[in-house]
Amino acid sequence: MATTEQILAAMGEIVNEVAGIPVEDVKLDKSFTDDLDVDSLSMVEIIYAAEEQFGVSIPDEESKNLKTVGDAVAYIERATN
Amino acid sequence: MTFSPRTPIQSSQGSPFARIYGMSGYSPSRIVTNEEVCTWIESSDEWIRTRSGITERHWATGEETVEYMAAEAAKKAIERSGVPVEEIGAIIVATVGWFTQTPSLACVIAGDLGSKAAAYDISAACAGYSYAIAQGDALVRSGAAKYVLAIGVERLSDLTNKEDRSTAFIFGDGAGAAVIGPSDEPGIGPVVWGSDADQGHLIQQVPHWPQAVEDGKQPVLVMDGNPVFKWAAFTVCHYAAKALELAGLKPEELDVFVPHQANDRITQAMVRTLKLPESVLVSHNIAHTGNSSAASIPMAIEALYQDGKVHSGETCLIIGFGAGLVYSGQVIVLP
């Protein structure tokens, strides 16, 4: 069972690898597009990497609602716990 | 049930292996820059480059018809192969841009070349070139043809909606060809190909031709970019890895990787997922050609030859993927 902190840390690594954003900038209240400048294709890669890492499925219609890092972390937390 | 012909018949005997004797690519003459694209759609050079890797694309002029580009590519590949035209037993054209139901473009090209070969078109969109190579390999090994001319040609500019912000900057035109023939050593690896029709709606011609005729308007290609990106970058690359494995190569033994030039972001994601070492030369030809569907792989290989970056005998993994959805990949030994 992954904790919020563990999921956030993993998301930081994923966002860093896909979009080159420093891990420390990836915080719960940050918007992927407005704050982290993640474009739609990078978002697809981030979602895919998260699905692989946590063994969850994030359908396209759900991924559109994941505006902030916190949204994604909460979704993964619900899906894994 | 036992198979027992009343009278035994003969079968054809082909070559144990096949290889590519000569390849070519044809880039049409009109260069369309991102600046020009931005006169049709609200976008910017930077947005297009960062989302696709495209800086310019080649579009055919009025004289550069699908037939003309295919014939030019064919003649160049045949000349480079050293194979006499009359030895070619089959001509396969992969295209979505030949708008004549019959005769096929392959037959028209046979006529242009003075060939009497079997000739037929295939419709496998962006995977078409790899499909044609796979068929050529099979025909040579079965003995159905001694030499096969495989052509990929497109004029996607004809199918581009210049008002669609999501696709207007992507597509390009061009052609490429390969002459495949008998070999004592494997020169074409096992093909990994298939279709994924559940996702067929992601890339479509809209509307179908009868409706277009009724409307008096040319149909266009529409694409749902993000799901296509996900499928290509993360599903198709597993098929690419399989093609490499079936050819008996480890990633570090591969010389060149030429994926269909659909979007450079897909290429980059594929390289990451496949964990290709830096020693593998990767084509990013889309920067100068846009996405030219069945023509993109041979055009990309042609560019690598022109730049002196590839040489005869090198192993090259090609993987095509696109509307259908369809995919196809194999390792080829460069002629």
Side-chain angles (χ1 to χ4, degrees), chain B residues 156-182:
Chain B
L156 294 185
S157 57
D158 290 338
L159 292 164
T160 297
N161 179 357
K162 291 168 83 174
E163 294 170 1
D164 181 349
R165 209 174 162 267
S166 65
T167 59
F169 62 92
I170 290 179
F171 299 124
D173 303 336
V179 175
I180 300 155

Side-chain angles (χ1 to χ4, degrees), chain A residues 39 41-42 44-45 48 51, chain B residues 51 226 230 234 265 272:
Chain A
D39 70 22
L41 296 183
S42 290
V44 172
E45 284 198 67
Y48 177 80
E51 287 178 323
Chain B
R51 294 317 193 276
N226 286 356
K230 187 175 184 181
F234 304 115
R265 298 280 292 273
R272 277 200 295 274

Side-chain angles (χ1 to χ4, degrees), chain B residues 123-208:
Chain B
S123 177
C126 305
Y129 188 73
S130 174
Y131 266 62
I133 296 287
Q135 290 189 30
D137 171 54
L139 294 178
V140 168
R141 289 191 291 117
S142 75
K146 187 172 182 188
Y147 294 96
V148 175
L149 172 63
I151 301 169
V153 60
E154 303 290 5
R155 258 179 71 116
L156 294 185
S157 57
D158 290 338
L159 292 164
T160 297
N161 179 357
K162 291 168 83 174
E163 294 170 1
D164 181 349
R165 209 174 162 267
S166 65
T167 59
F169 62 92
I170 290 179
F171 299 124
D173 303 336
V179 175
I180 300 155
S183 176
D184 295 331
E185 295 283 333
I188 299 172
V191 67
V192 175
W193 59 353
S195 59
D196 196 352
D198 289 351
Q199 302 194 76
H201 60 282
L202 295 179
I203 314 171
Q204 284 183 312
Q205 173 198 308
V206 176
H208 57 56

Side-chain angles (χ1 to χ4, degrees), chain B residues 67 71 74 85 88 90-93 104-120 149 151:
Chain B
E67 177 189 346
V85 171
I88 293 170
I91 299 172
I92 305 166
V93 176
S104 69
L105 178 55
C107 280
V108 173
I109 298 300
D112 292 342
L113 298 174
S115 166
K116 297 291 184 187
Y120 59 100
L149 172 63
I151 301 169

Side-chain angles (χ1 to χ4, degrees), chain B residues 98-108 121:
Chain B
W98 179 244
F99 300 148
T100 305
Q101 202 73 37
T102 193
S104 69
L105 178 55
C107 280
V108 173
D121 294 351

